Amino acid sequence: MRPTLARRLLAGLATATLAVGAAGCGDDGDRSTDAEGRIINVFSGANAGFVPNFNPFSQNSVAGTMSVLYEPLLYFNGARVDDVQPLLATEYRFADDGRRLDLTIREGVRWSDGKPFSAEDVAFTFNLLRDHPKINQNGLPIVEAVAADPTHASITFSQGVYTRLNLIAGRIWIVPKHIWSTVADPAAFTNSKPVGTGAFTLASFSQQNYVFERNPNYWEAGKPKIRGLRFHQFASADSAIAALAAGQIDWAGSFIADIDKQYVSKDPEHNRYINESQLYLTNLIPNLDRAPFDSVAVRRAISLALDRAQIIKLAFSGYGREASPAQLPRPLWDDYIKPEYQDRKLEFDPARAEQTLRADGWAKGADGIYAKAGRRLSFTVKVVQGYNDYISALQIMTQSLKAVGIEMKTQEVSFTAFSTDQQTGDFEMIITNLYSEGTAYSWYSRAFSSKRTAPLGQQAGSNYGRFRDPGVDAALAAIESTPPEARDAIREQLFKIQDVIVERLPYIPLQQSASLIEYRTEHIGNFPTEENHYALTTPYNGPDMGIVAKNLTPAG
């Protein structure tokens, strides 16, 4: 997963209405009704022009590098909890209290250049990460990886890694030793001629588009069914959405206001979409190291003053859903939410918001704003310029808070400035998304672990609000030493964390965010649906993107 805000850039989430015309996409061959001979057209995010980078360890690699060209050991389905499937590894087992991971490697796999794949490639990849910290982006504590024979590899770590199985086996893309062993600097390598085990290979590349075509050496019999994918460059989401509505794009992930009218109605028979609403939680994140947000009463009063149903309807086009106070997406994670919190909603009670402030010693001034010890209850929220849905939400919240005697102001800053300020704590409050690496532990570790934060002025890893609680840290540590199959024990610790979150309200949840994914069924079938959610449908994230691509079929 890329940084928190990057998915909004990748998905082209500037609010847009459809243009009348559309840029052409694809040639006549791409419009073939024969899906097996068809290259489908994909939009993975607004881009001024593609830069050739197929390095699976680089955050600047082009969409599809991860999981379309290169594969991990296991697939962790982002759309289903505890759905782990074999890919390049067929079995795994932890040993030595989680400090060793033993893997059985799939037989019969070949690299796209025809050379055999083996456990040697797996061991080489993890030792490459160990020896080059710049590409070890998840900070995996690798000691050594060895191949016992062509189908068995073991990776040892300096500490238990039970909670990092997804990052180790699901988010590390295995590369061929016979090519990468000659690469002097794997962090800087752009890998212009990629050789992977994925279902597709690179066929052509330009600044305007690049094409992946079917890998004839792919290990999974009968897949892929389609000939390939062409990724198109659009400078703005508006022009891409216009091409989508005109039937010139087959698969995209863009925010479209009033999507049924602006997209589905253009071709009701074939234009489809799915709302992948389990990926992100939109929050107001107060800086807990700064007054007045060190007060639970102030945070609770702000929360009580917000009409989330109105915010979702007016600012987010009704696509989002109300967030759980337990800060896990529902219903996906219901099995890991304490029963008493599963159906609990965040209250909207303006009168109680004011009562909460008065009980905490705040008194309303002549200007209608509460004050305490000479300080007015006034603060500024930083937001990225151009994030129109966020900006609209803040406008609505400003009026709601003013009605209960709280003054909120908005400051729009560049993406770069926002990213820096959130890491260093140079803000009173920000609005942003929380996300995870696919586990309930990750949701809480990223947002609430004291290990993920830092003093003001220093860069925090992901706990930007500077939340610290010894009980939460202890529960996270207990999960870290618990094997993943011990789910009841893990739940017990998660419930302890939820008790703290609900009571202390460190962040102020706004919504379970929408991620709209559009696709056309005129020539292509078997996209994931709510009924058959075999993967996330996102056309910009691995590993799900590669799983979807290799499972697409001719329509009908």
Side-chain angles (χ1 to χ4, degrees):
M1 169 60 74
R2 295 177 184 270
T4 306
L5 292 167
R7 73 92 189 168
R8 296 174 59 80
L9 298 180
L10 286 168
L13 287 179
T15 302
T17 55
L18 296 176
V20 175
C25 301
D27 55 34
D28 291 341
D30 293 341
R31 309 310 299 167
S32 167
T33 58
D34 175 10
E36 292 199 17
R38 178 181 170 79
I39 295 178
I40 71 169
N41 295 294
V42 183
F43 172 62
S44 61
N47 197 305
F50 294 121
V51 176
N53 184 342
F54 299 95
N55 183 339
F57 306 121
S58 170
Q59 293 201 27
N60 297 317
S61 61
V62 300
T65 299
M66 283 83 92
S67 81
V68 175
L69 298 181
Y70 293 91
E71 295 180 306
L73 298 164
L74 303 171
Y75 170 56
F76 294 75
N77 187 352
R80 294 174 180 160
V81 173
D82 298 329
D83 180 7
V84 183
Q85 302 170 22
L87 285 177
L88 295 179
T90 58
E91 295 180 8
Y92 73 91
R93 183 179 68 87
F94 278 111
D96 192 18
D97 295 325
R99 289 190 289 268
R100 191 179 83 231
L101 182 63
D102 297 328
L103 299 152
T104 301
I105 305 304
R106 185 180 296 277
E107 296 184 71
V109 177
R110 289 189 173 274
W111 294 102
S112 57
D113 62 1
K115 294 188 177 181
F117 160 85
S118 77
E120 280 286 342
D121 296 296
V122 175
F124 168 80
T125 298
F126 282 92
N127 288 330
L128 189 71
L129 293 175
R130 178 200 60 191
D131 297 340
H132 297 273
K134 285 184 179 180
I135 65 172
N136 188 6
Q137 296 170 2
N138 293 313
L140 298 177
I142 302 165
V143 174
E144 184 182 24
V146 296
D149 57 50
T151 59
H152 292 89
S154 294
I155 311 165
T156 55
F157 303 89
S158 61
Q159 62 192 68
V161 291
Y162 288 129
T163 58
R164 303 196 201 183
L165 179 62
N166 188 6
L167 296 178
I168 296 165
R171 298 296 177 97
I172 299 300
W173 320 98
I174 308 303
V175 297
K177 179 180 179 180
H178 66 278
I179 292 176
W180 284 73
S181 59
T182 64
V183 175
D185 184 355
F189 184 44
T190 57
N191 196 26
S192 60
K193 297 179 180 179
V195 172
T197 61
F200 297 88
T201 61
L202 177 65
S204 65
F205 185 90
S206 73
Q207 283 191 320
Q208 290 72 42
N209 63 69
Y210 57 94
V211 177
F212 296 147
E213 290 194 352
R214 184 188 296 120
N215 177 4
N217 293 317
Y218 191 56
W219 55 266
E220 190 167 3
K223 295 181 181 180
K225 295 288 189 183
I226 61 171
R227 177 182 159 199
L229 307 98
R230 173 175 278 115
F231 291 77
H232 288 274
Q233 178 266 333
F234 290 93
S236 72
D238 292 45
S239 54
I241 292 168
L244 177 70
Q248 297 170 325
I249 294 291
D250 300 294
W251 188 13
S254 293
F255 179 87
I256 303 177
D258 195 0
I259 193 169
D260 289 309
K261 178 180 178 181
Q262 299 290 348
Y263 169 62
V264 176
S265 67
K266 307 298 180 182
D267 186 353
E269 183 179 356
H270 301 117
N271 285 359
R272 299 282 186 269
Y273 70 92
I274 187 171
N275 183 356
E276 299 285 18
S277 62
Q278 65 272 54
L279 301 178
Y280 310 101
L281 296 172
T282 308
N283 276 253
L284 290 176
I285 298 185
N287 191 328
L288 303 179
D289 278 353
R290 292 187 173 184
F293 300 120
D294 53 352
S295 166
V296 175
V298 169
R299 302 195 298 268
R300 193 165 302 282
I302 293 171
S303 181
L304 287 165
L306 301 180
D307 184 347
R308 291 168 175 83
Q310 180 192 46
I311 294 168
I312 292 170
K313 178 182 178 181
L314 298 180
F316 299 108
S317 299
Y319 298 139
R321 55 192 304 167
E322 293 197 36
S324 166
Q327 291 273 26
L328 286 177
R330 297 196 61 210
L332 183 66
W333 291 99
D334 275 359
D335 285 347
Y336 290 87
I337 297 176
K338 196 172 184 179
E340 66 186 86
Y341 301 141
Q342 284 188 4
D343 295 320
R344 183 179 296 190
K345 292 190 175 183
L346 292 154
E347 297 177 76
F348 169 52
D349 191 337
R352 196 163 146 233
E354 294 199 56
Q355 292 170 4
T356 301
L357 290 175
R358 290 194 294 268
D360 194 47
W362 296 83
K364 188 173 286 188
D367 60 355
I369 302 300
Y370 279 93
K372 180 180 179 181
R375 178 192 176 105
R376 296 172 73 248
L377 188 44
S378 175
F379 59 89
T380 299
V381 182
K382 287 188 177 180
V383 61
V384 176
Q385 294 169 344
Y387 284 9
N388 296 333
D389 48 356
Y390 280 3
I391 293 167
S392 296
L394 290 171
Q395 291 170 347
I396 297 168
M397 288 186 276
T398 297
Q399 296 305 311
S400 297
L401 292 172
K402 182 179 180 181
V404 300
I406 301 172
E407 182 178 68
M408 183 174 80
K409 295 172 282 188
T410 298
Q411 181 184 1
E412 298 180 36
V413 298
S414 69
F415 176 85
T416 301
F418 186 96
S419 181
T420 299
D421 291 348
Q422 75 171 355
Q423 291 178 44
T424 60
D426 186 13
F427 63 87
E428 293 180 291
M429 182 180 281
I430 56 175
I431 180 171
T432 191
N433 279 333
L434 302 181
Y435 68 92
S436 83
E437 287 94 10
T439 65
Y441 165 87
S442 175
W443 278 103
Y444 291 145
S445 177
R446 288 187 56 81
F448 304 115
S449 170
S450 62
K451 296 178 183 178
R452 301 289 191 105
T453 195
L456 292 178
Q458 297 180 25
Q459 289 193 346
S462 54
N463 178 355
Y464 305 124
R466 272 66 186 173
F467 177 74
R468 302 172 185 88
D469 184 271
V472 169
D473 286 343
L476 290 170
I479 296 172
E480 289 165 6
S481 61
T482 304
E485 60 268 19
R487 292 173 186 166
D488 288 342
I490 291 172
R491 285 190 186 94
E492 181 182 350
Q493 299 302 325
L494 292 172
F495 293 169
K496 292 178 182 179
I497 295 171
Q498 290 160 19
D499 286 338
V500 175
I501 293 172
V502 172
E503 176 63 28
R504 293 189 58 188
L505 197 69
Y507 305 159
I508 302 169
L510 296 177
Q511 67 160 351
Q512 192 168 307
S513 311
S515 291
L516 298 179
I517 310 298
E518 301 85 14
Y519 57 92
R520 284 181 48 78
T521 62
E522 183 178 6
H523 306 301
I524 305 296
N526 202 36
F527 278 99
T529 63
E530 295 289 354
E531 296 74 28
N532 181 25
H533 226 154
Y534 66 83
L536 291 174
T537 322
T538 51
Y540 41 81
N541 283 345
D544 299 88
M545 180 183 182
I547 300 296
V548 174
K550 74 176 183 178
N551 281 288
L552 294 177
T553 61

